[in-house]
Amino acid sequence: MQPSPDTRTAPLTAAFPVALADDAEAVLALMPASRLRPARPFPVVVEGERVTVPGRLYHDEPPAGAVALLPPRQRQLLHCLYSRHHDGTVRQRHLAEIVGSTDPWVVPFVVQLVGEYVLEILVDIRDELRSLAVPGSPGRLAYGRFLVDNPAFFASTQRRVVSYWSYYHRSTHRDFRAYPGSTVLDLLRSAASDRAGRPWPDLTPSGTR
């Protein structure tokens, strides 16, 4: 695993691999300043490199016109960062711009949203990630590698999906198996199993299966 370099001048550049540092710096230069620092950052491994993704972001969004002028890769990184915004509506809007990507640095941003509580976001992810069920598909390969490289993160995600279902959504989705988050976990475990060459542990409680 490669260490995160000390040369990156802004903490949010650490959310992406070193090769993307210049693009990340350009994105950060466009983002309005925030009085609050990013909260609850979490480390994951992306293609052998440790990155640190913000748990929540408090920056206002930059003007849409300025975002449109960014090169495609920089727009992608901006959408990744704003998928960690504290406002769920903002997260969902920016997720829509990246959820179809199989670039490895995008994957942790999508998986983190799987373990959160906004039902509409889970539905969007479920609908977009159905291709993970297709053997050999780019998404299955990208997600499979990330999940196998980050087993503790995926274990926490599985448990969070069940916890949020039980606390927020059990009244409207009494059967966990019919809950969108359950479908997403099935897809993710399928991709991880394929990558690992063995069945991936199902950490949802037996009573919900």
Side-chain angles (χ1 to χ4, degrees):
M1 183 187 307
Q2 301 175 10
S4 298
D6 294 331
T7 55
R8 292 189 276 187
T9 58
L12 287 177
T13 62
F16 304 103
V18 175
L20 301 178
D22 288 344
D23 287 317
E25 291 282 4
V27 169
L28 295 180
L30 182 66
M31 293 168 57
S34 172
R35 291 178 298 173
L36 299 175
R37 294 179 60 82
R40 303 190 301 277
F42 57 92
V44 290
V45 175
V46 174
E47 294 195 316
E49 182 177 343
R50 179 187 172 98
V51 301
T52 305
V53 178
R56 282 289 180 263
L57 200 68
Y58 299 94
H59 297 256
D60 289 338
E61 295 175 278
V67 173
L69 294 176
L70 290 173
R73 178 56 48 77
Q74 292 177 15
R75 284 202 306 273
Q76 181 194 59
L77 301 190
L78 182 140
H79 293 309
C80 284
L81 289 174
Y82 278 95
S83 75
R84 306 306 317 132
H85 198 268
H86 68 94
D87 184 318
T89 302
V90 175
R91 292 199 299 277
Q92 184 179 16
R93 184 167 62 251
H94 289 276
L95 167 70
E97 301 294 333
I98 60 171
V99 67
S101 172
T102 57
D103 287 326
W105 49 85
V106 172
V107 173
F109 289 88
V110 177
V111 176
Q112 175 66 12
L113 285 165
V114 174
E116 297 184 4
Y117 59 89
V118 180
L119 182 61
E120 293 81 2
I121 288 177
L122 278 174
V123 170
D124 289 348
I125 294 173
R126 178 200 63 189
D127 292 347
E128 190 63 42
L129 295 192
R130 291 190 188 278
S131 65
L132 267 62
V134 179
S137 66
R140 188 177 178 91
L141 296 173
Y143 279 83
R145 176 173 182 178
F146 173 76
L147 297 168
V148 170
D149 286 349
N150 295 275
F153 177 67
F154 187 28
S156 296
T157 299
Q158 291 195 62
R159 295 186 180 104
R160 286 197 301 268
V161 169
V162 176
S163 294
Y164 282 126
W165 162 73
S166 181
Y167 191 83
Y168 288 106
H169 303 298
R170 199 166 194 160
S171 61
T172 55
H173 294 78
R174 298 188 64 82
D175 181 1
F176 179 71
R177 303 307 303 172
Y179 177 59
S182 175
T183 304
V184 175
L185 289 183
D186 287 343
L187 291 166
L188 295 177
R189 280 192 297 267
S190 176
S193 298
D194 195 32
R195 172 72 181 186
R198 58 177 171 79
W200 199 259
D202 183 345
L203 299 183
T204 60
S206 58
T208 65
R209 298 176 195 168

